[in-house]
Amino acid sequence: MSVLAEVNWTLIFILILISAAVAYVGDFLGMRIGRRRISLFGMRPKHTTSFVTVVTGVLITLVTLSVLASTSETVRTALFKLRMVQRQIDQLSYQLDESRERLSEMEGRLNESLEELAAKRTELRQVEERLAAKEQELEELRAQNQEVRSQARLAEARRSVLEEELDRLAKVRESLQESITALQRGLEQVREGRIVAMAGEVLAQIVVTPQESYAPDALMQALTQRASYAVAQRIQAAPEETEIQPVPGTEEALEQALDKAGEQRMVLRFVAAGNAVYKEEVVCGLAAFESKRIYPDGVVLAEERMPGGLAQPEAERRLHMLLRRVNKKATDDGILRDPLRGTVGNLGAVEFFDAVDRIADAGTPVHVRVVTTDDIYTEGPVRISIEIDGIPRETDKGV
């Protein structure tokens, strides 16, 4: 039934009507010609009637093809462009085969380069081992030189020989290091696909408030400069060597965001529109969000009473789960997540493990609270302190 529902019954009905009309007219003309015994093109009346029938059949075919060609792009392509489409398919298949062959060649070159790099590293390691052995032997000779004055000349000569060997090995090491560096540069040129920005990653952020006035051009320039600096740090280059390209419509979106900023606090972000690789421009889009204060300073985001005498792994697990609750609560309350990591901030390892040690060292049950240390807005980050039994451990980090 579903197949029948997809059939173009209107077109079929029209074709049947047109074919019937043409057949009727042809039959009518054939009968008239047969009765009157009319002769066309010098043919006998009987042959004239057959000719009219043949012409009628041809007209039915021509009318059917014309209607189908006028209503279906597929029919027009099959009638007039089929050979051209086939040639295009053959050409694209040939290009695909060539691309696969080039990819296979590049993979082979890459494997050869990796094997050569591994061999060079092995050779360098052997030279370093020999160099370390020679250095140790040199130190032993120096100690013997101090203990045995009578053999000073022999030891000095031997030391000179070893120092020459050491210099030679150092030169060999430098040469091998230069070879490895050159190979690494070659591998980077072959790969040329390392990603410097991930799709959806926040590269720059600016907060605008109703209390201040902003020029759209200046804001656009500031966002671009911050994004350039973020990308330049990753590729160890100067910011002017990077290229940030806003997507079309970014300036209009920025002006609309500034109109809203006249009434409420807004956060503007430059977000990578797609994955960007080394030496390519980074395309960014503007994301604007309303920003409001979610938490004031001193709000308890989560708390838990933990038993005393916990082992350190268990204390670490419990504190980690408590911070996960804080992350979920902050997200549910409207704090913007990091698009890539899904978190609303980061807590330093020192602060985290310091709290773990304090919980594990406690011999009695402790009350652990996670408290905000500043006013927290929609854009975050969530800055907290971890308080244990009412004794705060302040930190400027975020969760």
Side-chain angles (χ1 to χ4, degrees), residues 68-82:
L68 288 175
S70 62
T71 57
S72 174
E73 178 66 25
T74 303
V75 174
R76 288 198 298 272
T77 301
L79 290 176
F80 306 112
K81 300 180 180 180
L82 183 60

Side-chain angles (χ1 to χ4, degrees), residues 42-225:
M43 294 185 294
R44 297 174 60 186
K46 177 181 179 181
H47 294 163
T48 300
T49 303
S50 300
F51 177 75
V52 170
T53 302
V54 171
V55 171
T56 302
V58 172
L59 288 176
I60 291 174
T61 301
L62 292 176
V63 170
T64 301
L65 291 177
S66 299
V67 173
L68 288 175
S70 62
T71 57
S72 174
E73 178 66 25
T74 303
V75 174
R76 288 198 298 272
T77 301
L79 290 176
F80 306 112
K81 300 180 180 180
L82 183 60
R83 292 188 177 179
M84 181 184 69
V85 171
Q86 185 62 44
R87 287 197 300 271
Q88 292 177 349
I89 292 174
D90 295 339
Q91 184 178 3
L92 291 175
S93 299
Y94 178 74
Q95 293 176 356
L96 177 61
D97 293 337
E98 287 186 341
S99 300
R100 287 175 176 171
E101 291 178 358
R102 289 198 298 268
L103 177 60
S104 177
E105 292 177 358
M106 293 182 66
E107 289 178 347
R109 290 165 52 195
L110 177 60
N111 292 332
E112 292 177 358
S113 300
L114 289 173
E115 292 175 358
E116 186 176 353
L117 177 60
K120 291 294 183 181
R121 285 179 175 171
T122 302
E123 186 177 353
L124 175 60
R125 187 162 50 251
Q126 293 174 353
V127 172
E128 287 178 343
E129 291 175 356
R130 291 167 55 194
L131 180 60
K134 293 297 182 180
E135 288 177 347
Q136 183 178 359
E137 186 178 352
L138 180 60
E139 291 298 327
E140 292 175 356
L141 289 175
R142 286 175 177 172
Q144 292 176 5
N145 185 47
Q146 293 177 356
E147 295 176 358
V148 186
R149 297 285 183 176
S150 60
Q151 299 181 359
R153 293 182 180 178
L154 179 61
E156 185 68 26
R158 193 173 180 184
R159 185 183 68 176
S160 299
V161 172
L162 290 174
E163 286 180 346
E164 291 177 359
E165 180 68 11
L166 180 62
D167 292 340
R168 188 184 68 81
L169 291 175
K171 292 179 180 179
V172 172
R173 178 184 178 182
E174 292 176 358
S175 176
L176 290 175
Q177 189 64 45
E178 292 175 357
S179 299
I180 290 176
T181 303
L183 285 174
Q184 289 175 341
R185 285 198 300 265
L187 285 175
E188 290 177 357
Q189 293 176 356
V190 171
R191 290 172 180 168
E192 273 193 8
R194 68 183 184 189
I195 297 177
V196 300
M198 300 290 292
E201 182 179 1
V202 179
L203 299 179
Q205 175 175 293
I206 293 179
V207 176
V208 294
T209 61
Q211 291 78 17
E212 299 182 22
S213 60
Y214 303 89
D217 293 341
L219 269 180
M220 179 68 73
Q221 184 177 4
L223 286 169
T224 303
Q225 288 177 348

Side-chain angles (χ1 to χ4, degrees), residues 262-274:
E263 302 175 357
Q264 59 191 10
R265 194 173 189 267
M266 298 286 293
V267 57
L268 307 179
R269 287 179 169 180
F270 248 15
V271 181

